[in-house]
Amino acid sequence: MKYLFIVQGDGRGHMTQAIALSEILRRNGHEVVEVLIGKSKIREIPDFFYEKIGAKVRVFDTLSFSFKKDKKHIHLLKTILYNITPKRLRKYKKSIEKIHRRIKKNEPDVVVNFYEILTGFTHLRFSLDVPIINIGHQYLLKHPGYTHGKGDGQGMMFLRLHSLLCGVGATKTLALSFYPLKDYIPERIAVVPPLLRKEVLNLKPTKGDYILGYMLNHGYEAEVRAWHAKHPDINLHFFWDKKDADKEQRIDKNLTLHTIDDEKFLNFMSGCRGYVTTAGFESVCEALYLDKPIMMIPAHIEQEVNAADTASFGGGVIGNNFNISVLLNYMETKENSDDKFRKWVDSAEETFLRHLTTLV
């Protein structure tokens, strides 16, 4: 079968999920004919995506977040106002037309949408006649058996609306989950394992002498530096996606900042003592698979849900900021995980092939 991917390019998770699925499909005789990826004003599409996805990539403009002065947390009102300016709306109109044009040109059997909101708007505008399969952890919010993210705050309502618009026109929704749940037939939601790439599955984890970190928003840099100044003997390696930053910035012998490099990041993940992150779903799954102690500092409502979910089954600890002492204390008490999560992840290939080749 022929598949066309549409990927949200904000953060690392949706891109690595797309890479993992493209590997599964090609390994089983299917084809990814083209990949469309949405680029926001604040992110760069990393080189590893172009190198690993295995198909022609076309970029389009998509919605962007606006942040508070601290450069850490999303400013909801500014985000809305920025994205509804006439200039931005004209860009999104062109993107919607481009998505429609590429679907018509490639004639895929299935469109796979990795949580890109303009896919939903494209269906609203053009009534796409091709099956659409949506993939994302966020769709668990519609599952009655999922106990997290049930609040009615402003951020939660915005997240539900965003997920609703991303899912417009879906033939089937695949909700990525840390653990099995029954499928929710009324909403055509199938609960599926995380999508981890073969590079992760093949790693042999070791316990090195450093803490690994990933900070999606570079406003956290000051917190990391402040903690490091008080604990200069703890070896830290942090990855970030700050524009125009050096690929490797060595602050001193025990603090190094790296721009996003997928293979390099996984190598560091494999050998770290512990992992601190802003709680993106994908990297938390990678750390869980490798049985690494995890500390999560959520930057927005979606990550708050991820963090609460992970902590609920003992997968990690939640912090309010990059006070890495919380992780060090947690590491002293953490027990080794059982194999349930690894077995769940290892079932992904068979599960996704079944859902992507059977569209009922």
Side-chain angles (χ1 to χ4, degrees), residues 246-308:
D246 293 337
K247 286 189 175 182
E248 183 172 303
Q249 183 179 354
R250 192 173 177 87
I251 309 304
D252 58 38
K253 68 174 185 176
N254 280 333
L255 175 58
T256 307
L257 303 177
H258 309 265
T259 56
I260 292 179
D261 178 312
D262 191 51
E263 185 174 340
K264 187 178 181 182
F265 176 82
L266 290 180
N267 287 334
F268 272 96
M269 173 72 83
S270 177
C272 71
R273 295 169 55 201
Y275 177 54
V276 56
T277 175
T278 40
F281 177 76
E282 198 69 12
S283 70
V284 168
C285 288
E286 291 167 349
L288 287 170
Y289 192 83
L290 298 172
D291 198 22
K292 300 296 183 179
I294 308 168
M295 176 182 172
M296 298 160 288
I297 303 98
H300 51 72
I301 186 64
E302 179 183 324
Q303 293 178 351
E304 289 175 15
V305 174
N306 292 345

Side-chain angles (χ1 to χ4, degrees), residues 150-209:
K150 300 299 185 185
D152 292 320
Q154 187 182 61
M156 199 68 241
M157 293 173 64
F158 184 76
L159 178 57
R160 288 200 191 97
L161 176 61
H162 191 277
S163 298
L164 177 67
L165 293 172
C166 287
V168 169
T171 307
K172 184 188 295 186
T173 297
L174 305 183
L176 302 167
S177 174
F178 292 121
Y179 40 78
L181 289 170
K182 289 183 178 180
D183 295 346
Y184 185 47
I185 305 303
E187 293 284 351
R188 290 180 290 186
I189 294 175
V191 179
V192 295
L195 268 170
L196 302 187
R197 292 146 303 142
K198 65 179 185 299
E199 289 91 341
V200 180
L201 306 181
N202 293 336
L203 287 172
K204 304 297 183 186
T206 58
K207 188 174 181 180
D209 65 349

Side-chain angles (χ1 to χ4, degrees), residues 35-270:
V35 177
L36 310 178
I37 185 164
K39 180 184 178 301
S40 71
K41 66 169 181 174
I42 59 172
R43 307 288 182 215
E44 296 292 336
I45 307 301
D47 291 340
F48 81 81
F49 184 76
Y50 296 98
E51 295 165 1
K52 298 290 182 67
I53 193 63
K56 172 71 176 179
V57 178
R58 296 180 186 271
V59 179
F60 61 88
D61 289 310
T62 192
L63 279 67
S64 294
F65 290 117
S66 294
F67 291 89
K68 297 178 180 179
K69 290 181 179 180
D70 62 8
K71 304 295 184 184
K72 306 172 192 175
H73 301 96
I74 293 170
H75 194 299
L76 191 56
L77 180 59
K78 285 184 178 179
T79 295
I80 294 170
L81 293 177
Y82 174 81
N83 285 294
I84 62 173
T85 60
K87 180 180 178 181
R88 299 306 301 174
L89 291 176
R90 285 193 295 270
K91 285 182 177 289
Y92 303 150
K93 179 176 181 292
K94 289 181 179 179
S95 294
I96 289 168
E97 292 168 348
K98 182 175 184 177
I99 293 170
H100 179 244
R101 189 165 62 248
R102 299 314 303 171
I103 292 173
K104 299 293 283 187
K105 172 73 173 178
N106 285 284
E107 297 183 333
D109 297 304
V110 180
V111 169
V112 183
N113 180 30
F114 293 86
Y115 207 61
E116 170 52 56
I117 193 170
L118 291 190
T119 309
F121 283 114
T122 303
H123 183 77
L124 286 173
R125 171 66 178 82
F126 293 104
S127 297
L128 300 174
D129 58 1
V130 60
I132 301 173
I133 293 182
N134 282 359
I135 297 177
H137 176 59
Q138 297 85 347
Y139 298 118
L140 277 181
L141 294 173
K142 298 174 70 175
H143 194 294
Y146 187 65
T147 59
H148 306 282
K150 300 299 185 185
D152 292 320
Q154 187 182 61
M156 199 68 241
M157 293 173 64
F158 184 76
L159 178 57
R160 288 200 191 97
L161 176 61
H162 191 277
S163 298
L164 177 67
L165 293 172
C166 287
V168 169
T171 307
K172 184 188 295 186
T173 297
L174 305 183
L176 302 167
S177 174
F178 292 121
Y179 40 78
L181 289 170
K182 289 183 178 180
D183 295 346
Y184 185 47
I185 305 303
E187 293 284 351
R188 290 180 290 186
I189 294 175
V191 179
V192 295
L195 268 170
L196 302 187
R197 292 146 303 142
K198 65 179 185 299
E199 289 91 341
V200 180
L201 306 181
N202 293 336
L203 287 172
K204 304 297 183 186
T206 58
K207 188 174 181 180
D209 65 349
Y210 59 89
I211 300 296
L212 175 66
Y214 176 66
M215 46 184 175
L216 179 59
N217 305 323
H218 64 265
Y220 287 107
E221 178 188 3
E223 291 185 7
V224 173
R225 285 177 178 261
W227 188 88
H228 174 65
K230 296 177 181 178
H231 305 84
D233 295 332
I234 304 296
N235 194 1
L236 303 177
H237 286 271
F238 267 78
F239 283 74
W240 60 350
D241 65 349
K242 184 179 181 181
K243 284 186 177 182
D244 304 321
D246 293 337
K247 286 189 175 182
E248 183 172 303
Q249 183 179 354
R250 192 173 177 87
I251 309 304
D252 58 38
K253 68 174 185 176
N254 280 333
L255 175 58
T256 307
L257 303 177
H258 309 265
T259 56
I260 292 179
D261 178 312
D262 191 51
E263 185 174 340
K264 187 178 181 182
F265 176 82
L266 290 180
N267 287 334
F268 272 96
M269 173 72 83
S270 177

